[in-house]
Amino acid sequence: MAWSRQQVVLLSGLSGAGKSVALKALEDLGYFCIDNLPAPLLPQTVAMLDEDGYPRVAIAIDARSAHNLASFPHHYEALVELGLDVHLLYLESNSETLVKRFSETRRSHPLAHGELTVTEAVELEREMLAYFAELAHRIDTSGLSANQLRAWVREFVALDRSKLTLVIQSFGFKHGLPLDADFVFDVRCLPNPHYDPVLRPLTGKDQPVIDFLERQPQVGRYLTHILGFLERWLPEFDRDNRSYVTVAIGCTGGQHRSVYLAEQLNRHFAKHRQVLIRHREQ
């Protein structure tokens, strides 16, 4: 059959990490959405929807269909070989957050079956979905609100998939490391605007904080070193046909130093690369 340039978003992730919110966001964007599709039905479902004239399709595949999940790599690669515009999105959260969410909602984990604790089921699910996570654009939803997740999903589907996307994310170490980071730079060694009562309520986007940090010579040196590292190694990811590289910049609270440096990296790389900038704590 002749395939159109149908856009297919394959969504997966850990139970409780926000797949329902993401799927609803895609539906609001005009995607025809299917939840919990068994992996073996993927090729024929996509073909049928293409024949019926659906230009944008989002399909959630996850551990609820655990018995046939192992066949997903084969069916995914078949779609890619057909030349379809296929994009993988994977949602994850830290185990503590997921256990808390299941406790608050009093839902049972789909893999628990009365034999595993929620924590054990979460770790088993991570192992089962490792192949998907390795290939996909990953979003750590541990500290995200539903509105933040919806916004990040909208950004994801707007990307040009022919180019590597550099994701630059600020965060605060006191709220935990982002699970989706490929590189983490710790900027807690730099002078902290938090100790100035005037600067404390501001962020790294505000001019007084920018002025403070730009007066510190070590801030400029640190930025130069990060830029040099990324300029040297990002071309290697291009050659490896990677779709996404996530660089996380962390300070204590994720409000001042990390935000400032993330904005500076965005300003530099956006001139010649496709960049998404995210501030996790804002």
Side-chain angles (χ1 to χ4, degrees):
M1 63 168 292
W3 291 79
S4 67
R5 191 58 174 165
Q6 183 187 42
Q7 187 182 72
V8 180
V9 174
L10 300 182
L11 171 67
S12 190
L14 301 177
S15 301
K19 294 192 298 296
S20 296
V21 172
L23 206 61
K24 183 62 171 66
L26 289 165
E27 186 177 47
D28 291 343
L29 290 170
Y31 284 77
F32 183 87
C33 297
I34 300 174
D35 191 18
N36 193 23
L37 183 75
L41 297 179
L42 183 58
Q44 64 206 67
T45 300
V46 170
M48 179 189 70
L49 292 172
D50 185 64
E51 289 178 352
D52 288 346
Y54 290 94
R56 294 188 289 181
V57 175
I59 299 174
I61 297 175
D62 53 51
R64 288 173 291 176
S65 301
H67 60 285
N68 54 46
L69 192 60
S71 66
F72 171 76
H74 168 73
H75 299 301
Y76 163 68
E77 289 166 7
L79 292 180
V80 172
E81 289 174 2
L82 287 169
L84 292 181
D85 189 15
V86 185
H87 319 299
L88 274 61
L89 178 61
Y90 181 83
L91 306 184
E92 58 190 332
S93 293
N94 61 52
S95 297
E96 181 181 359
T97 297
L98 293 174
V99 170
K100 182 179 178 182
R101 289 175 183 171
F102 276 104
S103 175
E104 290 174 346
T105 60
R106 300 191 177 184
R107 292 170 50 214
S108 60
H109 192 284
L111 298 182
H113 304 306
E115 301 173 0
L116 301 175
T117 66
V118 174
T119 301
E120 291 170 339
V122 167
E123 295 312 313
L124 174 60
E125 191 174 30
R126 284 191 205 279
E127 294 177 14
M128 293 173 61
L129 296 173
Y131 176 88
F132 198 112
E134 183 178 343
L135 295 176
H137 175 61
R138 296 159 55 205
I139 296 179
D140 178 3
T141 69
S142 303
L144 295 187
S145 67
N147 282 337
Q148 282 179 302
L149 177 55
R150 282 190 284 266
W152 289 15
V153 169
R154 287 194 295 269
E155 292 175 343
F156 166 74
V157 297
L159 295 173
D160 179 352
R161 304 295 184 252
S162 67
K163 303 176 183 177
L164 180 142
T165 299
L166 175 61
V167 182
I168 301 172
Q169 178 174 308
S170 70
F171 73 97
F173 275 95
K174 72 178 183 180
H175 301 295
L177 281 165
L179 300 176
D180 48 358
D182 296 298
F183 297 102
V184 175
F185 293 93
D186 183 349
V187 301
R188 289 175 293 183
C189 60
L190 301 178
N192 192 352
H194 175 81
Y195 295 113
D196 184 329
V198 175
L199 301 181
R200 187 174 302 161
L202 305 179
T203 77
K205 296 180 183 179
D206 294 311
Q207 196 60 48
V209 174
I210 294 171
D211 293 341
F212 170 88
L213 291 171
E214 291 185 344
R215 287 195 297 268
Q216 317 301 320
Q218 56 267 58
V219 173
R221 288 197 295 270
Y222 202 116
L223 176 61
T224 298
H225 290 159
I226 297 176
L227 288 171
F229 176 85
L230 294 175
E231 288 285 16
R232 167 61 185 86
W233 290 105
L234 284 176
E236 299 298 327
F237 288 93
D238 287 323
R239 282 188 277 274
D240 194 42
N241 295 317
R242 280 283 293 273
S243 298
Y244 311 97
V245 173
T246 299
V247 176
I249 312 293
C251 61
T252 305
Q255 297 293 326
H256 298 105
R257 295 164 291 181
S258 61
V259 171
Y260 166 78
L261 285 165
E263 290 288 337
Q264 297 306 307
L265 292 174
N266 176 55
R267 183 176 302 175
H268 175 85
F269 284 107
K271 297 173 184 176
H272 56 283
R273 284 190 173 273
Q274 181 168 248
V275 180
L276 286 181
I277 184 163
R278 297 169 173 168
H279 300 299
R280 193 183 73 179
E281 318 304 351
Q282 295 184 8

